[in-house]
Amino acid sequence: DGGITQSPKYLFRKEGQNVTLSCEQNLNHDAMYWYRQDPGQGLRLIYYSQIVNDFQKGDIAEGYSVSREKKESFPLTVTSAQKNPTAFYLCASSRFTTYEQFFGPGTRLTVL
Amino acid sequence: AQTVTQSQPEMSVQEAETVTLSCTYDTSESDYYLFWYKQPPSRQMILVIRQEAYKQQNATENRFSVNFQKAAKSFSLKISDSQLGDAAMYFCAYRTENSGGSNYKLTFGKGTLLTVNP
C-alpha cells in the first residue's frame, strides 16, 4: 500500500537535546512538507521541499532543520534552539501536477 | 498574505441530521484551490473535499458538499445524514494556483470541532 509513514508516534526529549523525526513516502511524490500543530492554532508550515537536495523555510522555521537526500525521505530535526518544541508534527507530500497534500499519521513530541 | 477563518470553534449535530461548517478566506488572487480536511481522534488528516476557484459548480463527495461563494470569499461544508464517524476536527485550507516558491503550501484555518450526538 502506498502512503506516508512517520516515526516514532510518540517522542520524549530532554531540554537541550536535538531530536530527529522521520518521514517516508512511497507515493513517488515530488514535494514534501512539515507542519506543526498546536491546540487552537491549526497547522503551520515549518519547511517544504519541492525536489531532492532542495528545501525552503516555511512560516515557523526557526529552531528546525531538514534534509532531502532522497525523494522518499524528508527528516525533520528539532534543535535545542526551538523555544517551545512540544507539539504534534505532521508530514505531508504532494505531486507537482496535482494539488492535494496527503498526510502522515503524525509524531507527538514532548519536551520534559 | 492569505488568511483562512473558521468562526465556529465547536459545532454539534444529531445523528442523521445535516450540519454546515463555515469558512471564510481573504485573498487578492483569482485562481486558487480550497479544501476541507478532517482530523478524527487518531489525528490522521484526511482530505474530505476540494474546490477549484475557477469552477462555478459546487463540489460534492457523497454526503459532503460545499457552498462556494467566490465573491463573498466563503467556502462552507455541508454534511448530510451525519454519522458518528463524522465526529472530528474539520479544517478549511487554501492554496494558490500560481506555481513556484512557497505557493504549494496550504494555509489552514484553526478548525471546527464537530460532535455527533446519537
Side-chain angles (χ1 to χ4, degrees):
Chain A
D1 286 339
I4 304 173
T5 57
Q6 290 186 243
S7 61
K9 187 173 183 179
Y10 299 98
L11 189 56
F12 297 89
R13 188 195 92 176
K14 293 182 180 180
E15 279 194 36
Q17 288 181 338
N18 293 355
V19 63
T20 298
L21 282 59
S22 171
C23 177
E24 304 274 337
Q25 55 99 0
N26 61 3
L27 300 168
N28 198 32
H29 284 174
D30 304 291
M32 297 186 74
Y33 314 80
W34 274 105
Y35 291 91
R36 170 178 171 145
Q37 185 177 23
D38 296 283
Q41 292 286 340
L43 277 70
R44 293 178 292 168
L45 182 68
I46 304 172
Y47 267 99
Y48 67 98
S49 168
Q50 298 183 42
I51 196 169
V52 173
N53 292 323
D54 183 66
F55 47 83
Q56 304 295 329
K57 293 182 179 180
D59 299 321
I60 55 166
E62 184 176 353
Y64 299 98
S65 66
V66 294
S67 63
R68 186 89 186 273
E69 298 177 0
K70 299 186 300 182
K71 187 176 185 178
E72 302 79 17
S73 178
F74 191 41
L76 173 74
T77 296
V78 185
T79 74
S80 57
Q82 169 51 232
K83 302 295 184 190
N84 185 21
T86 294
F88 188 64
Y89 291 87
L90 286 157
C91 178
S93 70
S94 69
R95 294 183 63 181
F96 279 160
T97 55
T98 63
Y99 32 76
E100 293 104 334
Q101 288 186 17
F102 297 90
F103 286 81
T107 293
R108 173 71 183 177
L109 172 64
T110 302
V111 174
L112 304 174
Chain B
Q2 293 82 18
T3 59
V4 177
T5 302
Q6 294 179 248
S7 60
Q8 306 152 317
E10 298 184 24
M11 292 282 285
S12 64
V13 63
Q14 290 296 127
E15 197 175 2
E17 297 295 311
T18 296
V19 64
T20 299
L21 308 183
S22 300
C23 173
T24 58
Y25 57 94
D26 186 25
T27 183
S28 58
E29 299 175 332
S30 58
D31 296 321
Y32 48 87
Y33 304 103
L34 296 164
F35 307 87
W36 278 98
Y37 280 88
K38 169 185 176 180
Q39 188 178 43
S42 67
R43 305 200 75 172
Q44 174 81 52
M45 293 286 284
I46 303 165
L47 178 65
V48 175
I49 200 166
R50 69 175 184 269
Q51 175 80 44
E52 294 90 335
Y54 65 86
K55 290 187 178 179
Q56 293 185 342
Q57 186 173 6
N58 289 322
T60 62
E61 286 287 343
N62 300 314
R63 298 182 295 107
F64 298 87
S65 61
V66 299
N67 183 5
F68 173 48
Q69 301 290 327
K70 191 172 183 179
K73 296 180 183 175
S74 172
F75 183 60
S76 61
L77 175 70
K78 185 172 82 171
I79 306 174
S80 304
D81 186 25
S82 296
Q83 301 176 359
L84 295 177
D86 294 333
M89 183 73 84
Y90 286 82
F91 291 96
C92 179
Y94 169 101
R95 208 211 87 169
T96 181
E97 196 275 335
N98 295 321
S99 61
S102 65
N103 291 326
Y104 293 104
K105 79 168 190 178
L106 294 174
T107 300
F108 287 86
K110 293 186 177 182
T112 296
L113 181 62
L114 178 66
T115 301
V116 180
N117 300 310

